[in-house]
Amino acid sequence: YRKGFPEAIFCPGKTTDQIVQIAKKLHEVSDQNVLATRAGREVYEAVCREIPSAEFNETSRTIVIRKGVQRSVGNILVVSAGTSDLPVAEEAAVTAEAMGNKVERMYDTGVAGLHRLLSQSERLQQAKVLIVVAGMDGVLPSVVGGLAASPVIAVPTSVGYGANFGGLAPLLTMLNSCSEGIGVVNIDNGFGAGYLASLINQAGI
Amino acid sequence: YRKGFPEAIFCPGKTTDQIVQIAKKLHEVSDQNVLATRAGREVYEAVCREIPSAEFNETSRTIVIRKGVQRSVGNILVVSAGTSDLPVAEEAAVTAEAMGNKVERMYDTGVAGLHRLLSQSERLQQAKVLIVVAGMDGVLPSVVGGLAASPVIAVPTSVGYGANFGGLAPLLTMLNSCSEGIGVVNIDNGFGAGYLASLINQAGI
Amino acid sequence: YRKGFPEAIFCPGKTTDQIVQIAKKLHEVSDQNVLATRAGREVYEAVCREIPSAEFNETSRTIVIRKGVQRSVGNILVVSAGTSDLPVAEEAAVTAEAMGNKVERMYDTGVAGLHRLLSQSERLQQAKVLIVVAGMDGVLPSVVGGLAASPVIAVPTSVGYGANFGGLAPLLTMLNSCSEGIGVVNIDNGFGAGYLASLINQAGI
Amino acid sequence: YRKGFPEAIFCPGKTTDQIVQIAKKLHEVSDQNVLATRAGREVYEAVCREIPSAEFNETSRTIVIRKGVQRSVGNILVVSAGTSDLPVAEEAAVTAEAMGNKVERMYDTGVAGLHRLLSQSERLQQAKVLIVVAGMDGVLPSVVGGLAASPVIAVPTSVGYGANFGGLAPLLTMLNSCSEGIGVVNIDNGFGAGYLASLINQAGI
Amino acid sequence: YRKGFPEAIFCPGKTTDQIVQIAKKLHEVSDQNVLATRAGREVYEAVCREIPSAEFNETSRTIVIRKGVQRSVGNILVVSAGTSDLPVAEEAAVTAEAMGNKVERMYDTGVAGLHRLLSQSERLQQAKVLIVVAGMDGVLPSVVGGLAASPVIAVPTSVGYGANFGGLAPLLTMLNSCSEGIGVVNIDNGFGAGYLASLINQAGI
Amino acid sequence: YRKGFPEAIFCPGKTTDQIVQIAKKLHEVSDQNVLATRAGREVYEAVCREIPSAEFNETSRTIVIRKGVQRSVGNILVVSAGTSDLPVAEEAAVTAEAMGNKVERMYDTGVAGLHRLLSQSERLQQAKVLIVVAGMDGVLPSVVGGLAASPVIAVPTSVGYGANFGGLAPLLTMLNSCSEGIGVVNIDNGFGAGYLASLINQAGI
Amino acid sequence: YRKGFPEAIFCPGKTTDQIVQIAKKLHEVSDQNVLATRAGREVYEAVCREIPSAEFNETSRTIVIRKGVQRSVGNILVVSAGTSDLPVAEEAAVTAEAMGNKVERMYDTGVAGLHRLLSQSERLQQAKVLIVVAGMDGVLPSVVGGLAASPVIAVPTSVGYGANFGGLAPLLTMLNSCSEGIGVVNIDNGFGAGYLASLINQAGI
Amino acid sequence: YRKGFPEAIFCPGKTTDQIVQIAKKLHEVSDQNVLATRAGREVYEAVCREIPSAEFNETSRTIVIRKGVQRSVGNILVVSAGTSDLPVAEEAAVTAEAMGNKVERMYDTGVAGLHRLLSQSERLQQAKVLIVVAGMDGVLPSVVGGLAASPVIAVPTSVGYGANFGGLAPLLTMLNSCSEGIGVVNIDNGFGAGYLASLINQAGI
Ligand SMILES: Nc1ncnc2c1ncn2[C@@H]1O[C@H](COP(=O)(O)O)[C@@H](O)[C@H]1O
Ligand SMILES: Nc1ncnc2c1ncn2[C@@H]1O[C@H](COP(=O)(O)O)[C@@H](O)[C@H]1O
Ligand SMILES: Nc1ncnc2c1ncn2[C@@H]1O[C@H](COP(=O)(O)O)[C@@H](O)[C@H]1O
Ligand SMILES: Nc1ncnc2c1ncn2[C@@H]1O[C@H](COP(=O)(O)O)[C@@H](O)[C@H]1O
Ligand SMILES: [Mg+2]
Ligand SMILES: [Mg+2]
Ligand SMILES: [Mg+2]
Ligand SMILES: [Mg+2]
Ligand SMILES: [Mg+2]
Ligand SMILES: [Mg+2]
Ligand SMILES: [Mg+2]
Ligand SMILES: [Mg+2]
């Protein structure tokens, strides 16, 4: 009863062998893309020996095995401030793409350099759903939410130091945001953000 | 640039007088409904003397002043387990209604009595967006998310005792949910949940 | 005055040598099984050189040295959602078996795939005691507790990421459960869960 | 499918009227005792006007409405150290009694006066299940668990000051106990402790 | 050895009588203004009977007793987003004024309404020191810090609800800010912010 | 619009290659010093191959690339108690120097040896801004603040053990300080402290 | 087996009647002083009707009933910074006096006014045991410990606001102190501090 | 002005070279023992090359360099429950010995095996000061405090797992103890406990 998407594989805590077996089985029984998250290169190589069409994304540590028609509908915008949040931002983007959504990235912007962000406010207003990923710059979803009218999915990351406390600080920042239309997912949960964004993006379709 | 909705009034920390003035001004300048949240009955009565059409909802402590055409589009379902979560659930429901959405309630169900919940799983699957409100029964969004395919907005409440820690427990429970498609808002933030649900519900329209 | 069970050996913080000496001594003086928990393979091999009948369980990292009659009474069911919680689930199961209980496993089920869990609800209702182990799917004990009438021992695990906070999230989730008949043990404490389950399972015997 | 016990009524967050209606309905449809917890005297008086046989316990703030045969099986011992933990201890005791169990109390003992506790160790060893309630003397379940061989249900209370932090301190103390056979319930959750003790006490019956 | 400023009086925990005596003594021995914070109206009235020139500020709950030349140097700007943060913002402003600084207020602005804030960015850039006070809109200092080049003193307030956790959320938000040049003071400590701002504002004088 | 200082490079989460490219570009386009923080020796060597004038500070793990006139104005004093806080103290000092400030160090002093600190109180009183860095001796900023009249920037560090909790203890200690004129930055944030001190030190210039 | 001191009465959670009965019984059976802590005036008056020699201390909210020889040995010094910590400081002082110790007070000093403290360093060095009580000025025990050579008992209080977090901040500050010879008791636990100081003060006697 | 004891060397964060230099200098200028804590074997070997009389204790990771008369006065008893707490217990014992105290150890006892502890209660009552070290068995100081009349110094350790939270659980347990006469030091702070015990033990001498 899931919306046209087979269960993804969350790799941590599984042996390479287990992952390969699950991937093969899902690829055979389903007519949908298969997605594995938090996968190392060695896991990818093992999967690849069995399913040569598997694709690896180094930054997000995801494996995608495509099947059937590849859609690219709607308009999801992934926003991120810093280089170190890219793995989580890309996990979100790859997940959303694997679920058949058109995804754009805006990775060159933060609140300290507010003018750069403001100069792109038109793009922020055109997206149908926004995913905002931030660890040190946890205020970003509030600012984006103040500029855009569409739903914003905020993803705190555990990147940072000191009073970041493993992502607790951006998590609380995002939950307390005064800008309306923001929903928060777990710290570092790019997969969950991409999945939720896909549901929303395809809601009216 | 907000989606056809004037800024709501958050009453705590404002004098009755200030609230009445803001309500009057918003009602005059805008062609939209005006919503005041966390309002006591005495605040409502003061508003009513100036704007007789103002309506009060005792449970959610909201005031709504209607204007123009009243739409009721789409299909938002608000789910809640216990009597004590009703104020927050109703804040969400009233907010969504005031923004022109069709809202249904399912307030008679919790995880301890799982069979009652399962017997309604069809209704859960038909909603376009779900809002799940829970304080003591913080696992409810996970279970609902496992049964429904649409986006779920989870609202932890501060209702409970002991290791509830003012809503921290259901907040963490919801953020860690393994069911996909769940976004979380601040503890007790029924308004935020209703607003986000409205954006999603009207996304494809 | 302990119920027919010699003190177990908790390996962390002890040298291999110390563990071997304690195991030998306990094995000699007692007419009961000896159990060592959190043991690496190298510890097992050292024990094995002295006591060849020692058995090792790789997943749970336990060593069991059997002695006398091996009972298998009652009916304890260990439930777990994910691959990564298996070490703790198996520590509970092995402990309970070493104490003379009949133990069944149900490791293929979680709340996200609720239908799989529901299809087994008869087995849940037949157990005399249930142990439910979960890290990311911390809501599992609540759901199991809502389906079963027997006592449930809930074991939070530190497996997860983000707002799991080292097991704090599933711990709070389980303590706040609205389903009745649930007692909670320390995070990752499979041993304690197995021990308590054994006491309950053998209470009426 | 519950073990011969109708759902109890948790009063906070419900109007007196709602409580009376629920109590009446449960009393009519069920052939079991009805229990209301966290009830004030005024609630009791309202219930009493409709169901004159209702009984009130001032200390535990519980209402019991008896029906059918009143059993008193097995042997549950409730241990508590201080006057201020009595409300929670009594909530546990009354709950267990209402479920048909024989319940004894040992309320005159704490760890600071260890000799008094030791002088009663025989009684501790004879109980089939023990409930230990403590807020300031959070170490009590460990000590009782070291003396008794039966399962211990530990109930932290929010009574105390300073680094008690609303019951967090005794909760952590109890979860970390080195004595085996201890399960913990939520802070102040006397009802949950009584319910779980009843399930265990009647397990072999 | 303090910079031309007598010790202020922190009223909580002191009797009205004690406050009046301290105020009188400080007013006599010093040639500087005297400031009392967290003072109720009844305290003010008691002080006034002894020192008729005492002035009361209802919002900030401060009493000021002026003496000697009243300077008004430099340029401190106090920024705040919401009505409910005004008591803390005013405590900061009154403290800075009593120490001889010129103080401006900008109380009509928040991140949700970003355009209003941006339209005033010139004023933000002209201030020599900025004090930014926020409870629910904890991201405000980051945004202001991104627009202004002068030092920013960030004051989290305990105003808010849910995951605000008594000011912990805005405190962490402010400490993690990516905008440079921000120093944070204790939650609700308007006095400390005003004092520090005064030291900075008069540093080059 | 920043006060004559190009954006510094925060190295963690960036590849050596990315850092070298950013450093080269900033060095070319700007007429200011370039600063990279949290840099390992291997990063420095890679930068050095491209920009031979780059300087490395082993203790603070900073790279500075100088350009144009090197000022050394005002008077910033960096105070630290222990050997283990030196990396953070030096990050603050190097940052302030790279921004054109005169910086002095006082690294031989702590509260346990209070007399050593008191014997230098004249130096404490002469500084225009003070930066106080402490992890285990978190009370140092309070004591320094009680001796000096200028603004104090307090930097908690994560150095310590036990109830230091990753810097939380000195952070709370510093926020609660009763000495006036103290602003706090994030745990381990030497860069932020140096930057803020520079703004204050050059405020009157 | 206690060192010549009957168990004191902790009043919270006990009815006035219970307190009077306990006080009477202890006064009859023991040849020692009786001490009741956290007592209101109405409790005192009830005790006084039965035992007219009972003495009340308004600030510390203690009742003392004297008996036999009243010693006053050794030399305990209680240090406190602010008016609002006096109740806890006095609870410590009264407890120590009731146990037969000579007690001095130094209540006029804090770290912000360091010179006042230093001018009394001789008195600090002459005490045999020191009790230092502080809520907002949590650094005081460290400073006193740096000046005195005798054991210091540090008592954090819950007095303060903001990031004091109910006494957590001074508690952590005191536990992390770098000055040697400091032991910490629970937040607000003046009684425990007085008791421990008495044991130490009388150790060599 | 310290009581006949030179400053000890805390090794973490110092280079081997720095440690050797400090040790040499202290050994030359002082007529007292020198103590280095948290020292690895390689550090010891470097010290030994310069000062051949240096002694190493592998378990506690301490180096002692003796000088002058070696006293052994009074009677300090160090109590610990488990093998894994030995490093901290030994750090306390070695510190106290180096300061001229007679130290006894009782390392074979815990609360789960209460009878073993009770059988030694005479020894507990004879000590002049007790140091109780515990991580998993955090209730031990309470039980010891209930049996002994002398001052107890409680040392929580970070040894444990799950809800131990790095020593937070035993720390809170010890602070909340209902047994009188207990002072707590920082988690893992064996040195501080030994130092404080020495001050108390030698107080009457
Ligand atoms: N990166 C991720 N973070 C959180 N959940 C994930 C992630 N990737 C996959 N999942 C979830 O994990 C489930 C698969 O878990 P498993 O059966 O253990 O492989 C999927 O259905 C998703 O719900
Ligand atoms: N119940 C509520 N919880 C959280 N935010 C609210 C609530 N009601 C209104 N708001 C927000 O508060 C804003 C109005 O704040 P104010 O200008 O202080 O009245 C609205 O634009 C909403 O964003
Ligand atoms: N995995 C475990 N988790 C918690 N406690 C354990 C575990 N395994 C053994 N124990 C307890 O540790 C005790 C043995 O501790 P020790 O004497 O240090 O070996 C046993 O009696 C059990 O109570
Ligand atoms: N609102 C405030 N918040 C924090 N500290 C304050 C406040 N008002 C005054 N103070 C400080 O409290 C000191 C006076 O405290 P006291 O001697 O108890 O009146 C002053 O010197 C200030 O440092
Ligand atoms: Mg928006
Ligand atoms: Mg779903
Ligand atoms: Mg059940
Ligand atoms: Mg036991
Ligand atoms: Mg700026
Ligand atoms: Mg100062
Ligand atoms: Mg000292
Ligand atoms: Mg004792």
Side-chain angles (χ1 to χ4, degrees), chain B residues 112, chain C residues 130 141-152 179-182, chain D residues 1-2 195 199:
Chain C
L130 298 105
S142 273
V143 175
V144 168
L147 293 170
S150 294
V152 170
S179 303
E180 290 101 353
I182 301 184
Chain D
Y1 57 100
R2 286 259 179 69
Y195 196 106
L199 292 191

Side-chain angles (χ1 to χ4, degrees), chain C residues 94-168:
Chain C
V94 168
T95 298
E97 284 171 342
M99 290 179 78
N101 303 282
K102 178 150 162 285
V103 177
E104 288 190 33
R105 278 106 168 142
M106 189 192 287
Y107 287 169
D108 53 341
T109 180
V111 171
L114 194 55
H115 292 295
R116 239 168 6 199
L117 184 63
L118 293 172
S119 71
Q120 311 218 38
S121 74
E122 218 160 312
R123 261 179 92 200
L124 296 175
Q125 283 164 41
Q126 278 156 3
K128 204 170 141 195
V129 192
L130 298 105
I131 296 173
V132 187
V133 180
M136 298 182 73
D137 212 3
V139 304
L140 195 58
S142 273
V143 175
V144 168
L147 293 170
S150 294
V152 170
I153 301 168
V155 193
T157 75
S158 59
V159 169
Y161 66 87
N164 173 287
F165 293 127
L168 179 65

Side-chain angles (χ1 to χ4, degrees), chain D residues 65-138:
Chain D
I65 310 168
R66 294 183 198 285
K67 199 163 191 180
V69 185
Q70 298 295 319
R71 286 187 313 167
S72 176
V73 306
N75 180 11
I76 296 174
L77 180 64
V78 183
V79 182
S80 177
T83 319
S84 38
D85 294 324
L86 283 193
V88 179
E90 275 298 298
E91 188 181 281
V94 169
T95 299
E97 284 172 341
M99 290 179 78
N101 303 280
K102 178 151 161 283
V103 176
E104 288 189 33
R105 277 107 169 141
M106 190 191 287
Y107 287 169
D108 53 342
T109 180
V111 171
L114 195 54
H115 292 294
R116 238 167 8 199
L117 185 63
L118 293 171
S119 73
Q120 311 219 38
S121 75
E122 217 160 312
R123 259 180 93 199
L124 296 175
Q125 281 163 42
Q126 279 156 1
K128 204 170 143 197
V129 192
L130 298 105
I131 296 173
V132 187
V133 180
M136 299 182 71
D137 213 2

